[in-house]
Structure formats: structure tokens, C-alpha cells
Amino acid sequence: SPPLHDALKPLSWLLGTWRGEEGKGDYPTIKDFKYKEEVKFDHVGQPNLEFSFCSSHYETGKPLHREKGFLKIQPGTSHLALVNTQNVGIVELSEGEVKGQEITLESHTIGRMTFGKDPAVTKIQRTFRLVDADTLEQVVHMETSATAPAQHHLSIQYKKVAL
Ligand code: HEM
């Protein structure tokens, strides 16, 4: 693959394929659940990473929540934008910062289908953290039209399975 764009050096620790075998999900309005997820961060030499997050049912392996998008960095800064489409009919634009091997993001725009199910998602907060060279963690909090402020929805650790 082409050389990594210089602007992406602060994000190089995300690159690769990661697999989470025991994600934990909850929310005040739903039953606790476990899930699996495969995550890929890749690039084509442009100053953005492309990613996919593909979750599946803990027992059956059936595909569940899926996301695809781009992670952009404002060149010369630690400022990030995540541009993301979710299979549940949500588009998410989040912004935040990379500090060392940790990223924090919060949505400023969430687009929604006219026929989307209630409750509407009104805020998404994410953190990514490199726990060690082989272990990545993601934590997601969200707010909905029925529940504010933001509360925990997802925590998962992924192991690197390919470069
Ligand atoms: C439920 C949003 C990612 C699994 C929900 C609900 C919302 C939501 C709004 C309904 C809550 C309610 O009824 O009050 C999101 C957002 C995500 C996300 C914004 C990403 C940023 C995931 C992922 C999984 C997942 C990765 C992995 C399997 C579930 C499950 C439920 C749920 C199992 C309960 C479904 C049900 O009871 O019908 N999510 N979700 N979600 N989510 Fe997520």
C-alpha cells in the first residue's frame, strides 16, 4: 500500500484489523448484552483513514450493527473529524482530539431517516485507546430523545489480528 500520509502519523496506531470477542453493551432502556466486532482501519495515501466496524451476535455470529466511514485529521493539529454511516440509518459527524494513543470524539451532527425508529439518537460520544501494542479499546456513550444526559452503551477490547 502507499506510504501513510504525514498528517496521519498521530493515528498510525489504529491501522490494521482488530477483533473483539467479548463486547459488553447496556443502556437504561434495554437488556444487557454481549457482542463481537471486527474493526478495520486502512488508508490509500490520502490524509484520512477509512474504517469499518462490523458487529455480530455473541452466540450466533449473525451480523448486527455496522458502520463505515472516514477519520480525518486537520493537518498540523490534533483535531479530528469522524464521518460515519451506520446501517441503522444514522449518519454521524463527530469531532474531537487525538492525544498520544487516545481519541475522544463527540457528535455535533446526527442525521436520521424520516422513518427511523424511536428513540432518536441525539448524541454519540466515543473514546478509542491503545491499551497495549495488540489491544485497542472503544467505549461509546449515547443520548437519545428518551434519555439524557449521555449514558454508557458499549465497551469492547479488540486484539490486532492483521496489519
Ligand atoms: C439498542 C444506538 C451500536 C447493539 C440501541 C438503541 C439505540 C442504539 C438508540 C435503542 C435504545 C432504546 O430503545 O432506548 C446505537 C448507536 C450505536 C450503536 C448510536 C453506535 C454508535 C451498537 C453496537 C451493537 C449494538 C455496535 C452491537 C451489537 C444494540 C442492542 C440493542 C441496542 C442489542 C437492543 C436492541 C433491542 O432491544 O431491540 N442502540 N447503537 N448497538 N443496540 Fe445499539
Side-chain angles (χ1 to χ4, degrees), residues 131-157:
V131 178
D132 60 50
D134 280 336
T135 315
L136 179 69
E137 180 182 81
Q138 179 174 200
V139 177
V140 175
H141 287 73
M142 70 173 170
E143 185 184 280
T144 73
S145 51
T147 47
Q151 295 175 73
H152 183 267
H153 187 35
L154 308 162
S155 289
I156 188 166
Q157 286 202 350

Side-chain angles (χ1 to χ4, degrees), residues 35-82:
Y35 67 103
K36 298 181 188 247
E37 190 169 46
E38 186 168 288
V39 169
K40 286 184 191 167
F41 284 100
D42 200 0
H43 74 100
V44 295
Q46 293 179 338
N48 59 73
L49 292 184
E50 48 192 63
F51 62 79
S52 59
F53 299 156
C54 299
S55 71
S56 52
H57 191 276
Y58 188 74
E59 275 95 27
T60 65
K62 190 183 123 195
L64 291 172
H65 198 97
R66 299 170 72 82
E67 310 176 24
K68 286 177 191 270
F70 298 92
L71 187 59
K72 297 174 70 71
I73 187 162
Q74 188 177 10
T77 74
S78 58
H79 197 149
L80 301 176
L82 178 120

Side-chain angles (χ1 to χ4, degrees), residues 73-112:
I73 187 162
Q74 188 177 10
T77 74
S78 58
H79 197 149
L80 301 176
L82 178 120
V83 184
N84 188 20
T85 56
Q86 304 190 12
N87 67 335
V88 290
I90 292 175
V91 293
E92 166 193 3
L93 236 167
S94 293
E95 293 198 7
E97 300 290 327
V98 52
K99 289 201 181 101
Q101 292 168 335
E102 182 162 349
I103 288 171
T104 53
L105 295 161
E106 181 168 299
S107 59
H108 70 66
T109 306
I110 296 176
R112 180 166 195 259

